Structure formats: structure tokens, C-alpha cells
């Protein structure tokens, strides 16, 4: 087992040119020294967001603004390597009224693999989508929760067009006004009813769950989705805010996938 190591994410292209010794950027050095309070020679975890983990030692530079990470394993033989989580989980979420980054962080920590923002007809977003800030939120969440695969966040798309075009994988539409909609947990269980006893056969399809705005999907959006084969599901008897629904759905999706026996894309439990 891998002992507990505080993490720093350095994405694949930059890490692959390190050759065992990586020059740290100013913000990385600040994080290691000021936030994690590491000193020269202390060990931390270096992850690439593509399933691999190395241990590395902090090496001081000639001035306070410089430093290096010295990998303790070769790039080709990481301390830990895990496959991408299967099946992949995507949340497609209508732009929430406020605090989209809080929702993004929590869903990342829970295990969602990709995020698609939707501009729904009834979206009333007060906060602008800031791609650079949201990518930083995902990086920080990955480091904190010890995931090894970095989720990605896709630019906003008109909901009607996206729901009409998305045809691959399992497609679930969260709605609160359709009496025949199955609870999300039941709908997921119906995909692989024997998942708790054995892994499903064949390659698992990605699972997409679309969540509407506080005012709900418009009749045109919901009709278009159902016509294209989306399955209506519900998240409970109450009416949830978009962010609450997204976090609740992320928790159910991750727990369901965990019961399938596939890799979850995280580290093993550290040894004492």
C-alpha cells in the first residue's frame, strides 16, 4: 500500500520532459512550502492527472522563488498506476444561479469524470463561467481528495441542441414533474442488476446525467430529450436547487459505480 502523501498535480506533457528532476513553478513552490509546509528533503506525492503517482522530494533552489522536485521513481515505473474509472460519469448541468465552482469542487471530490455546462431556457445564472478558475478548482479538488484522474470541464452549450445531439452511452434526464420517472438509484440498478455480485460483461458505456435549472426544463427541452432516448429519472420527492441536485446525483452515481467492481480512479487506502 502507498503511505499517505500530500499531493501536487503536474499534468502529463510537462512531467514527461522532467527526466527525474522537475523545475517547480512559483505557485507550486508556494503551495509546497507555504500551504503544505514542506522543507527541503521532505517527500510528497506527484500526480499527473492520468492515473499515475510518484513520490518526490523537495529540493531547494538557489533563491526562495526557485526549487525542484526530484522523483524517487522513474517516469516509466511510477509508485502507483490505476486505469481510468469505468464507466465514465458525466454531469451535464444547467448553469446554476450562483456558486458553480462550489458545485464543481464537490462533484469532483465525489468522483465525477467530466462536466458539461448547459445554457437552458430557464437558466438564471448570476455568476459568470470562468474556465481558468474552474480548472484550478478541479486541480485543487484532485490534490485534496487523492484522485489520480483529473476531470475535465467542457464549455457551455445550449441545452436544447446538446440534449438533441447527445446520443452515445446511457443518458439520464433528471426531472421533478414526471410521475413515471424512476428514482435515480433504481434506474442505475436496472442497468446492471447483478453488479454487486460480479462485474458486468463487455465494455461499460459512459453514463450521462443531465440536470436542469431551478425553474426546471422547458417543455421543448424535455420533449426533445425524451424523443432522443433520454430516460427520465428523479432525485427525490422534493424540489432541489441545481447545485444540490448535482451533488446528490454525483454521490449516487459514484456509489453505484463503486459497487460494480471497476476501478474508481483513486489511490488505495494508505497503510498505517
Amino acid at each position: 500500500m502507498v503511505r499517505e502523501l500530500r499531493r501536487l498535480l503536474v499534468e502529463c506533457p510537462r512531467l514527461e520532459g522532467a527526466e527525474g528532476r522537475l523545475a517547480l513553478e512559483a505557485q507550486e513552490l508556494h503551495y509546497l512550502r507555504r500551504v503544505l509546509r514542506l522543507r527541503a528533503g521532505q517527500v510528497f506525492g506527484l500526480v499527473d492527472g492520468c492515473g499515475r503517482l510518484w513520490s518526490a522530494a523537495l529540493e531547494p533552489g538557489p533563491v526562495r522563488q526557485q526549487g525542484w522536485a526530484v522523483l524517487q521513481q522513474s517516469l516509466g515505473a511510477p509508485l502507483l498506476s490505476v486505469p481510468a474509472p469505468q464507466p465514465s460519469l458525466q454531469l451535464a448541468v444547467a448553469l446554476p444561479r450562483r456558486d458553480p465552482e462550489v458545485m464543481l469542487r464537490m462533484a469532483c471530490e465525489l468522483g465525477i469524470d467530466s462536466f458539461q455546462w448547459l445554457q437552458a431556457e430557464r437558466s438564471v445564472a448570476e455568476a459568470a463561467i470562468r474556465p481558468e478558475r474552474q480548472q484550478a478548482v478541479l486541480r485543487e479538488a484532485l490534490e485534496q481528495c487523492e484522485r489520480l484522474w483529473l476531470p475535465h470541464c467542457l464549455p457551455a452549450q445550449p441545452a436544447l441542441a446538446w440534449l438533441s445531439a447527445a446520443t452515445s452511452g446511457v443518458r439520464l434526464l433528471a426531472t421533478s414533474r414526471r410521475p413515471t420517472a424512476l428514482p435515480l438509484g433504481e434506474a442505475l440498478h436496472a442497468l446492471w442488476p447483478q453488479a454487486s455480485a460480479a462485474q458486468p460483461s463487455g465494455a461499460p458505456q459512459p453514463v450521462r446525467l443531465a440536470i436542469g435549472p431551478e425553474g426546471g426544463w422547458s417543455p421543448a427541452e424535455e420533449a426533445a430529450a425524451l424523443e432522443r432516448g433520454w430516460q427520465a429519472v428523479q432525485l427525490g420527492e422534493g424540489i432541489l436547487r441545481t447545485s444540490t441536485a448535482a451533488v446528490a446525483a454525483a454521490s449516487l452515481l459514484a456509489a453505484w459505480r463503486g459497487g460494480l467492481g471497476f476501478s474508481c480512479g483513486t489511490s488505495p487506502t494508505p497503510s498505517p
Side-chain angles (χ1 to χ4, degrees), residues 12 17 25 55 57-58 69 111 142 149 151-152 165 172 180 183 185 188 190 223-224 235 250 255:
C12 297
E25 297 178 350
S55 59
L58 178 62
L142 176 136
W149 285 87
H152 58 279
L172 305 172
T180 58
L188 291 170
L235 297 172

Side-chain angles (χ1 to χ4, degrees), residues 90-94 114-118 162 209-212 217 230:
Q90 182 183 63
L91 279 185
V93 184
S114 67
F115 303 88
Q116 172 68 64
W117 295 117
L118 299 177
W162 189 85
L209 175 64
I211 294 174
W217 301 109
W230 289 76

